[in-house]
């Protein structure tokens, strides 16, 4: 939704917003990786779920990178 407002009314500084969001996702990923390695339950159902969630966070980060580049190209 924030991207919509960035594009429509330029209410926020898009690049700053993307960078802040990416930093939050990277912190989230770092905390999640600690939990993943602490549990030491490889090949259990929970481990697969945690790996799936970690891949989602990676996807968010990749998408934010793409958004940041797209916004910079428009400036």
């Amino acid at each position: 939704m924030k991207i919509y407002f960035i594009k429509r009314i330029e209410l926020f500084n898009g690049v700053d917003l993307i960078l802040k969001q990416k930093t939050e996702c990277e912190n989230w990923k770092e905390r999640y990786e600690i939990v993943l390695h602490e549990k030491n339950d490889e090949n259990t159902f929970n481990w697969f779920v945690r790996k799936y969630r970690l891949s989602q966070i990676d996807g968010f980060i990749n998408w934010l990178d793409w958004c940041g580049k797209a916004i910079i190209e428009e400036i």
Side-chain angles (χ1 to χ4, degrees), residues 18-33 53-69:
I18 296 293
L19 288 174
K20 287 178 185 176
Q21 203 66 36
K22 184 178 174 188
T23 299
E24 281 301 313
C25 285
E26 287 170 343
N27 291 337
W28 184 21
K29 178 181 176 181
E30 190 175 300
R31 288 189 308 268
Y32 210 81
E33 285 177 330
R53 189 63 175 151
L54 196 55
S55 71
Q56 287 179 317
I57 297 168
D58 283 333
F60 296 151
I61 293 169
N62 290 336
W63 181 75
L64 287 166
D65 284 338
W66 176 84
C67 287
K69 289 175 187 171

Side-chain angles (χ1 to χ4, degrees), residues 9-75:
I9 59 176
E10 298 177 19
L11 183 61
F12 306 101
N13 179 329
V15 175
D16 287 345
L17 182 63
I18 296 293
L19 288 174
K20 287 178 185 176
Q21 203 66 36
K22 184 178 174 188
T23 299
E24 281 301 313
C25 285
E26 287 170 343
N27 291 337
W28 184 21
K29 178 181 176 181
E30 190 175 300
R31 288 189 308 268
Y32 210 81
E33 285 177 330
I34 291 169
V35 169
L36 182 69
H37 296 296
E38 281 180 351
K39 296 293 182 180
N40 197 21
D41 58 356
E42 280 190 35
N43 297 321
T44 66
F45 177 74
N46 289 336
W47 183 79
F48 282 95
V49 172
R50 288 186 192 104
K51 289 294 279 186
Y52 172 72
R53 189 63 175 151
L54 196 55
S55 71
Q56 287 179 317
I57 297 168
D58 283 333
F60 296 151
I61 293 169
N62 290 336
W63 181 75
L64 287 166
D65 284 338
W66 176 84
C67 287
K69 289 175 187 171
I71 289 170
I72 288 171
E73 288 176 4
E74 287 184 359
I75 296 176

